[in-house]
């Protein structure tokens, strides 16, 4: 079996005509391919040596599909220093539903070598208040491993956010005058609950620390607990916000550390001052908003910080905060194609683990489009899954990833389960989700 055949796994398999077309298109692909290399925790090799060996390894492979992960190595140096090598994406590829073939022997490889932190989450305490005001991770963290790839969107949201971060660094490096061209290092993700906004923020922080491993020795993610910053003592909440951000600024003083600050449900800290002035909110809320905006204005002078915020209720956010956000990205419920990709990854995992057996071929959504959704031996099971995906529209990403679990827990027993039986259980699980939502809406 040749190298190209070996690296295309079941879930990445494309019709022969498509692979041929992809190979013909290689010369049209962009020049840069990002490759992520997880360093073994016991590695003693130099980063430069690892990059050189990996570059030679990939060049010998000649070609790979975006998303391919290599774990089996014959080179002794790589074997003792590397856990895996992942071919991630090309410089202009949207992180959507399409996969493309990369000519590894001719394109420029951007190799990012990183090591995973396994310490887990810590707590940031405000000493005088004796309260946990934030959760704290050293990045890259094993808590977020695989999170980026698990997030599926219809638009190239992930690539937009990566490009945004790259531009903030580029402008800082070139000393662009922020009084002339303004940017605040603030991202606002908004949309209905369960669409993956918070997960995307954490995954983005992780991805940036990997991609910028040559620039920053490590990263830190600080997730502020918005509700804990409202003091039981009147007028103290604004001071607590200032204390929290002053603590974060201490981290920013280290130029070798990339700091990502996550404020989930940011409307808790940035409630519209207009409502407060009309007597609908206590005056303490005004102090909190003012303190928050002041701290954001002070933080933007640091080149190694990014503020990530989410909101389910954008109408409640103060307009001055919304205006400070450089990107205001809506994250909605997934389409049928995105749902199919989510289900595809879930079932592929269950087949890998032996819960579903025997293993059946499931092609990706692009392959279904190429075959114009015509049923044949290669698309039989995939079309059945696409039908379930179409009936799942309206469910959040969070609910969709629970469907396979609910299907087994409610309607199946033991393992292995045939794919046909699992499909029947998934249909029932989807119907159950919509029924539960309808019942809850009546309460």
């Amino acid at each position: 079996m040749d190298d190209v055949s070996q690296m295309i796994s079941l879930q990445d398999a494309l019709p022969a005509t498509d692979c041929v077309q992809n190979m013909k298109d290689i010369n049209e692909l962009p020049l840069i391919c990002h490759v992520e290399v997880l360093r073994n925790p016991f590695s003693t090799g130099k980063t430069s040596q690892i990059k050189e060996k990996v570059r030679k390894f990939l060049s010998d492979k000649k070609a790979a599909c975006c998303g391919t992960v290599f774990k089996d190595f014959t080179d002794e140096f790589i074997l003792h220093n590397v856990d895996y090598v992942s071919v991630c994406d090309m410089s202009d590829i949207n992180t959507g539903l399409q996969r493309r073939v990369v000519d590894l022997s001719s394109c420029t490889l951007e190799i990012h070598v990183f090591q995973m932190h396994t310490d887990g989450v810590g707590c940031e305490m405000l000493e005088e208040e004796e309260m946990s005001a934030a959760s704290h991770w050293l990045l890259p963290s094993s808590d977020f491993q695989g999170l980026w790839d698990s997030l599926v969107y219809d638009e190239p949201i992930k690539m937009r956010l990566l490009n945004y971060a790259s531009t903030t660094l580029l402008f800082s490096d070139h000393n662009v005058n922020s009084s002339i061209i303004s940017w605040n290092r603030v991202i606002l993700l908004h949309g209905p609950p369960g669409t993956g906004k918070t997960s995307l923020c954490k995954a983005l922080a992780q991805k940036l620390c990997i991609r910028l491993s040559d620039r920053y020795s490590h990263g830190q993610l600080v997730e502020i607990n918005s509700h804990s910053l409202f003091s039981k003592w009147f007028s103290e909440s604004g001071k607590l916000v200032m204390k929290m951000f002053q603590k974060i600024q201490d981290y920013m003083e280290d130029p070798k550390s990339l700091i990502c600050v996550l404020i989930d449900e940011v409307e808790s800290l940035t409630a519209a001052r207009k409502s407060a002035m009309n007597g609908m909110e206590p005056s303490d809320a005004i102090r909190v908003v003012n303190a928050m905006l002041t701290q954001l204005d002070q933080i933007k002078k640091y080149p190694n910080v990014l503020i990530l915020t989410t909101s389910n209720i954008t109408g409640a956010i103060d307009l001055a905060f919304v205006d400070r956000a450089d990107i205001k990205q809506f994250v909605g419920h997934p389409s049928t194609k995105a749902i199919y990709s989510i289900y595809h990854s879930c079932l592929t995992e269950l087949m890998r683990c032996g819960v579903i057996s025997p293993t059946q071929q499931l092609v990706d959504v692009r392959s279904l489009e190429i075959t114009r959704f015509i049923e044949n031996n290669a698309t039989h099971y995939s079309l059945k899954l696409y039908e379930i995906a179409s009936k799942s529209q309206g469910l959040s990403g969070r609910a969709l990833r629970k469907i396979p679990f609910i299907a087994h827990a409610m309607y199946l027993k033991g393992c292995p389960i045939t794919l046909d039986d699992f499909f029947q259980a998934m249909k029932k699980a989807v119907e159950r989700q919509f029924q539960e939502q309808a019942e809850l809406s009546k309460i």
Side-chain angles (χ1 to χ4, degrees):
M1 186 177 289
D2 58 27
D3 289 332
V4 176
S5 298
Q6 287 177 334
M7 74 196 154
I8 300 180
S9 57
L10 175 65
Q11 65 267 35
D12 297 325
L14 297 173
T17 54
D18 190 46
C19 276
V20 170
Q21 184 60 48
N22 272 290
M23 294 300 289
K24 289 180 179 178
D25 289 343
I26 282 177
N27 291 332
E28 300 176 9
L29 290 175
L31 296 176
I32 298 175
C33 176
H34 292 278
V35 177
E36 296 176 3
V37 180
L38 176 59
R39 182 197 287 265
N40 188 295
F42 306 106
S43 168
T44 56
K46 293 182 178 179
T47 299
S48 58
Q49 288 179 298
I50 294 174
K51 286 187 177 183
E52 182 182 345
K53 289 287 186 179
V54 169
R55 196 180 304 277
K56 175 66 168 58
F57 168 80
L58 293 174
S59 181
D60 290 343
K61 286 293 179 183
K62 297 181 182 178
C65 283
C66 287
T68 299
V69 178
F70 296 102
K71 293 185 178 180
D72 297 323
F73 310 106
T74 56
D75 185 285
E76 287 294 320
F77 181 85
I78 298 180
L79 192 63
H80 288 94
N81 288 278
V82 171
D83 278 350
Y84 69 71
V85 174
S86 175
V87 180
C88 294
D89 54 70
M90 303 299 289
S91 58
D92 75 340
I93 288 181
N94 295 335
T95 53
L97 305 176
Q98 296 186 352
R99 300 287 182 98
R100 297 176 74 178
V101 175
V102 183
D103 184 352
L104 297 170
S105 60
S106 64
C107 71
T108 300
L109 299 177
E110 286 284 346
I111 300 176
H112 313 283
V113 180
F114 67 100
Q115 200 156 15
M116 202 72 74
H117 293 278
T118 58
D119 299 337
V121 62
C123 293
E124 289 296 338
M125 306 294 293
L126 291 181
E127 296 176 0
E128 296 177 9
E129 298 293 325
E130 295 184 349
M131 65 170 65
S132 174
S135 299
H136 183 208
W137 289 268
L138 286 177
L139 299 177
S141 171
S142 57
D143 288 358
F144 307 133
Q145 190 168 13
L147 183 58
W148 179 265
D149 293 326
S150 72
L151 297 170
V152 180
Y153 301 101
D154 295 291
E155 296 182 57
I157 295 174
K158 295 192 289 186
M159 187 58 74
R160 287 175 190 166
L161 296 180
L162 281 178
N163 291 340
Y164 163 79
S166 297
T167 299
T168 61
L169 287 173
L170 178 70
F171 277 37
S172 296
D173 289 345
H174 285 75
N175 297 315
V176 174
N177 190 330
S178 60
S179 297
I180 299 174
I181 298 178
S182 177
W183 71 99
N184 295 298
R185 308 180 192 278
V186 179
I187 293 173
L188 171 63
L189 303 182
H190 61 97
T195 51
K197 299 183 296 298
T198 304
S199 295
L200 179 55
C201 287
K202 293 176 178 178
L204 176 63
Q206 175 99 332
K207 179 64 72 171
L208 288 174
C209 288
I210 294 172
R211 291 290 173 91
L212 301 173
S213 55
D214 287 340
R215 181 188 184 104
Y216 299 106
S217 61
H218 65 284
Q220 301 184 62
L221 173 62
V222 181
E223 182 179 8
I224 294 177
N225 182 355
S226 304
H227 302 288
S228 71
L229 295 181
F230 281 95
S231 175
K232 61 183 177 181
W233 306 110
F234 184 72
S235 81
E236 290 296 309
S237 298
K239 294 179 182 178
L240 290 179
V241 171
M242 293 180 65
K243 287 179 182 178
M244 183 69 252
F245 275 92
Q246 286 167 4
K247 197 175 185 69
I248 294 171
Q249 285 186 40
D250 291 339
Y251 297 137
M252 298 175 193
E253 297 294 342
D254 179 5
K256 295 298 292 180
S257 179
L258 176 64
I259 311 300
C260 295
V261 181
L262 170 57
I263 309 174
D264 204 12
E265 298 180 7
V266 71
E267 64 270 12
S268 300
L269 290 181
T270 56
R273 285 174 292 184
K274 183 178 180 181
S275 298
M277 292 174 186
N278 290 337
M280 298 172 66
E281 294 286 344
S283 58
D284 198 28
I286 299 178
R287 297 187 181 94
V288 170
V289 177
N290 290 339
M292 179 77 169
L293 297 177
T294 299
Q295 294 305 311
L296 289 178
D297 290 339
Q298 291 180 0
I299 279 176
K300 70 178 182 180
K301 67 182 180 183
Y302 293 90
N304 60 331
V305 64
L306 191 63
I307 308 295
L308 310 169
T309 67
T310 73
S311 176
N312 300 329
I313 317 170
T314 50
I317 305 176
D318 192 272
L319 290 178
F321 173 81
V322 174
D323 191 50
R324 280 168 171 78
D326 300 323
I327 291 182
K328 295 167 273 288
Q329 176 67 55
F330 176 77
V331 183
H333 290 308
S335 69
T336 298
K337 291 180 182 180
I339 294 171
Y340 177 88
S341 294
I342 291 172
Y343 283 162
H344 183 288
S345 66
C346 293
L347 295 183
T348 299
E349 175 65 10
L350 291 177
M351 285 190 279
R352 184 192 69 82
C353 296
V355 176
I356 296 176
S357 184
T359 296
Q360 303 291 349
Q361 183 178 22
L362 290 174
V363 301
D364 61 25
V365 74
R366 186 184 178 199
S367 301
L368 288 178
E369 291 175 327
I370 290 171
T371 61
R372 298 182 180 179
F373 296 88
I374 296 173
E375 184 172 354
N376 54 43
N377 291 337
T379 63
H380 173 70
Y381 286 106
S382 302
L383 289 174
K384 284 188 173 183
L385 182 60
Y386 196 86
E387 181 185 355
I388 298 173
S390 66
K391 293 180 179 179
S392 304
Q393 275 196 295
L395 295 179
S396 69
R398 182 183 298 150
L400 291 167
R401 292 224 173 250
K402 291 179 182 178
I403 291 295
F405 176 83
I406 299 298
H408 191 282
M410 296 289 114
Y411 307 108
L412 298 167
K413 289 185 180 180
C415 69
I417 308 293
T418 66
L419 189 55
D420 278 316
D421 287 343
F422 208 90
F423 281 161
Q424 292 302 316
M426 283 183 68
K427 289 179 182 178
K428 293 177 182 178
V430 170
E431 292 171 359
R432 183 186 180 92
Q433 282 291 116
F434 282 114
Q435 182 182 349
E436 289 176 351
Q437 286 185 2
E439 291 171 350
L440 286 171
S441 64
K442 296 177 183 178
I443 298 176

